[in-house]
Every structure is written in C-alpha cells, then in structure tokens.
Amino acid sequence: MRIIYLISFLLFPLLSCAQTTNKSISVVSSYTVDQNSSWTSRTLQQQKFQPFKQNSKVNIGYNKDAAVWCRFIVKNLSASQSAKTWLCFNNNHIDSLSLYDGRLIKTIGDRTISQSPFIETLAFELNLQPGEERLLWVRVKKETSYLDFSYSLEDQAYLEGKSSQKTALTSFFIGMVFLLLMINGILFFMTKDRLYVYYIGYSILTAFYTAITTNFAKHVLFPEFRFFSECRVFTGALWYIALSIFLGHFLKLKENQPIKHKLIIVLGGINFLLILISISLLVFYKDFEFRYFFVLGYIIFLASIVVLFWAALTHLKIEKTQAIYALLAFAPQFVWGACLILKTFEIIPKSLGDNWMLFISLYEVFLFGYVLSRNYIDIFLKNNELMQQVIFEKESSLRAISEVQLRERRNIANIIHDNVGSKIAHIIHLFDMKNAGLAKQTINELAEDIREISHKILPKALDEGALISSLQSQISSLNAGLTDAKIELFCYDFPDKIDEKWIYDLYLIALEVINNAIKHGNAELITIELYKYPKNYHFQFTDDGLGFDLQKTSKGFGLENIEKRVNYYKGNFEISSVKNEGTIIQINIPSNR
C-alpha cells in the first residue's frame, strides 16, 4: 500500500496543476465538418459553421474520411502591449493538425514528422501585436477512428510546467516498471514460475501503451514515427490480452474455474485475430470500413472485463487474499474501461482522461510487482524455515545415532565388566592358586561366553544374508530366559538368504521391538511375521501388551529411531495401537531386485 500512496503523491502535481489563460486575448470560434476531406481554404467561406467554445468538446464519432475545419478570430484587447498565447488542442492522437495563418502553414500530429513543443497538448504559438485581430483556420484530420477534441488558449508557463511534470513522471514510472521487470526476471530464473513471465510480458506492454497514450513516445522517444495512432489501438488490445492471461494464472482459473478460464482464452484469441486482420486490411485495403471491427473489439473488451471481475469475485471463496489483490487492481480499470466504452457509444458525455489511464496501468504494475515479490519473499522464508527444520531433523538423527551407539557401547561394557572381567579375574586367581585344571575349564567357559556375546551383538550369519536363522537363534535364546512371555516367528515366501543392505538394521529393529513389547508393554505374546512380495518386503510385529493412545502419547526415542532407519531405505513405517489391546507395527521396504 505504501507504493500506491507514493504513486498518488507523485501524480498529485500532474492532476492538480493550476491552469492560467491570457485575459487580454479574445477569441471567437466555430467549426464545420468536411465529410469527404475535399474542401480547400478557398471553399470554406461558403460553408455553414457551428459555434465552438473554449474547452467544449467537438465529437464527430466514428470517422473514416471526414476532416474538421475550425475558424478562429483572435484579437489582442490591449492597445499598448503585444500578446503571446498558445492555441492548444487536447487530443494528442490527432493524425494531422494544420494551422493556416495567412500564407503560413504549420502542421503537427501523429502522422507528421513535426511535433508539438509540449507533451501535454498539440499547440500552435500565436503572437499578436497591440490591438491586432487575426483570422486563423485549423484543419483537424484523424483517419479511421473515433474523433473528438476541444481547444483552449494557454499560457506558456502553464504548458511548460505541465509538460515537465508529465515527462518527469512518465520517465520515472517507465523506469520503475523496467526495474520491476528486472527483479521479476531474476525471480523467474530462480523459481522457474511462469507467472513471472506473464507479468513481464504484461508489464512491457503496459509501459509501451503508457508511453504512447501519454504522448511520451512521440514527444521524447520517436518523434519521426508516423503510426502511433494505430500502435495505440493495437498495443492497447495486446496489453489487455496479456493482462487477462496474467490474471487468469494469478487466480489459477484453469484449476479453480475452468469454464471462465476457457472463456477468457477464447475472448483473447478473438481479439488477437481481430488485430491480425485489422493490420492486414490496413496494409492492403486502406479504404476498408473498420467501424464494425471497433464495435466488436469494444464488446469483447467489455465482456473480458466482466468475466475477469466475476472470476475475481468468485475466487474470494477459494483464496481470499489473491482475490482481494486482483479486485484492488482490477476495480479502477473496470471503471475506466466501462466509461471509455460508454463514452465511445455516446451513452455518457465524458470519460476518464489519459492521465487516469497512466495512473491505473502503473498502479496495477506496481501492485502486482509488489505482490509477486512479496509472495517470493514469503516462499523464501518458508523454504528457509523448512531448511531449518531439515537441519534440526538431521541434528536430531545424529544425536539419536550417537545415543544408540552410546547405549550399545554401555551394554557391551556392562557385559564385559560383569561377565568377562569377573571370569578373567577368577582365572588369574586360579593360576595363583596353581589350579591349572579349573583355570583351563574357566577359560573354555569364557571363550563360549565371548562367542555368545558376539552373536547377540551382531550374528556372523547376517554377513551371509541369513536374516531368518539369525532371528530364530536370537529368539530361541530369548524364549529360554522368559517365563511370562513368548516370542513367535513366522515366514511367508521369505528367502533364507537375501542380499539387502538393510538386514543388519532390521535385525536390530526386531530386537528393539521385542525389548519394547516386553519392557514397556508387558506383552505375553509377541508375533513376528516376514513376507516377500514381488516388489517389496513386508514385516509385521504384533503384541498383546498394554498398548497406548497414539493421539496422546509420543512415539518415543526407540520408535522414532526405527522410523528413521526405515525411511533411510525409502520404506514405509506404520504403527497402530489401542490402549489395553496391544500394538501392531508394519514395515514395508522396496526390493532392489
């Protein structure tokens, strides 16, 4: 919103500059319409003229061959001082504007290489001696378009001030547009999101249309170019097609409102086809009647505005924030476009001027530039937050691995200290007692204990892929030491030997699950089932223990560690438990063969 306030602040001088006129000059004016553009200055005296007041508009509607002749009788009311003023015409897009001042002829306009001294208006300089009265003729010509204009006498200082402000502001806004284009171009290369491409295309056309509409292109950039009238019409149509496509993707109409999306594409396609046909006809058939093309183009333009406005309102129920942005951008354009069309068909007497078009189009570009940049920043911050979470998860995994290693080392240390250490001390004592026979017997027992400890930590058979025999051996040892619980192992099409890297982890997972079921679940029966399917291995661990409520109880360190091990092998881990009814753990790991 700060950007919008800045634009309003910068445009305020442009819209509020005070107008001054030279009161020492009087003017009597009238006009007549030459329907076939066949009159000369000699035949004008025979024509009937209608009154034409300053700042009142002459509107001849759609024009093909007509020209408007204006007669001005200008007089300096001062008898002692000379007077200088500018005869100004407020339509910058007149093809040619010819001033006949006696034998002197001056011509300016879109179809001429000459230009007005001021970007704000088409103006002719008038210098009057004290008490001088002069008859002036002005011929206004605009081919194949709607023609309206008004005139006024203006002071040079006022025109220079208005033109300087308009030039500066238009330059500033076009520069800012291209800055936003550069930023969004960088964002596109970073994100590969096509929405930025649509924004760039729409913004470029906005800059061109603004430059032509405000007369900046003719006055500053390409003063000798002669076809700005046509460029204004075609660029405006392309600009609106680009805006429709951009808004359609901005609101994700293809996914959320497919019918409106197709309708917008069809309307845009018809408009583009009209542009191609019109250009072809202008090149090969200059006398073609373009009235119906203009009418059809305006109808499609109005239909597109209505559909887009309707789509934005509907989108409020889908994604409120994006819809509000679209409505904020589109509402001023909706008013301007409606006024333009109603004025064209003479339903209302006056439409919003070109300055409003400058404000609206650049307001939209700035607004969407701000929205897209902010969306990227939000996405960047979210991605950064996700990266922090990933880093945290990795650190947690490392801590978990370290804790597992520390716990296993403690278990080994306790076994060695309690069993191996005590027996070694006993053997040394026996040698001191010179009881070699008993010492030899104790050494044999110690060797058996070491083999058993080694087998418990990680059976040698696992190196050969014998997961089933390793588990059976460990389960037999565990069942021998259990009094109130029993462990069962079932295999279904599971190979005796498998060549998979995860068998060591699965062996340790099975021991972890058994330990949890006995220690924490007080289970009486623990069932382990191993399945082999064509594309995956399936493992199910079931116990009839105490169970727990998954919604209220966290998985705990052991289960989280199991899940991380399974995820490492791109497997799937699921657990279901009901309080006082036991727990079921299911693991699926894809097969590499």
Side-chain angles (χ1 to χ4, degrees), residues 72 85-89 96-100 105-109 116-118 121-127 136-139 152-154 159:
F72 299 96
T85 190
W86 290 83
L87 178 60
C88 302
F89 290 80
S96 64
L97 195 67
S98 301
L99 172 69
Y100 296 85
I105 301 176
K106 296 180 181 178
T107 303
I108 55 177
S116 172
F118 309 105
T121 185
L122 297 176
F124 295 105
E125 182 180 6
L126 301 179
N127 291 294
L136 305 172
W137 299 93
V138 176
R139 183 177 183 269
S152 62
L153 298 178
E154 305 291 357
L159 293 175

Side-chain angles (χ1 to χ4, degrees), residues 467 502-511 539 541 587 589:
L467 178 62
W502 44 258
I503 61 171
Y504 300 98
D505 282 299
L506 196 72
Y507 175 80
L508 295 175
I509 286 171
L511 297 185
F539 308 91
F541 305 88
I587 296 173
I589 299 179

Side-chain angles (χ1 to χ4, degrees), residues 408-467:
E408 291 176 351
R409 288 176 180 177
R410 283 176 178 171
N411 290 336
I412 294 170
N414 289 334
I415 292 171
I416 293 173
H417 178 272
D418 295 342
N419 195 346
V420 177
S422 61
K423 285 191 175 181
I424 290 175
H426 182 59
I427 292 168
I428 293 172
H429 178 70
L430 290 174
F431 277 117
D432 289 340
M433 297 294 295
K434 297 182 180 180
N435 191 345
L438 187 56
K440 183 179 180 180
Q441 180 183 347
T442 306
I443 289 171
N444 291 331
E445 292 177 359
L446 179 59
E448 186 65 29
D449 289 343
I450 290 173
R451 282 195 296 271
E452 186 178 347
I453 291 169
S454 176
H455 184 73
K456 284 183 178 179
I457 294 172
L458 206 61
K460 184 67 175 175
L462 283 177
D463 293 337
E464 300 174 358
L467 178 62

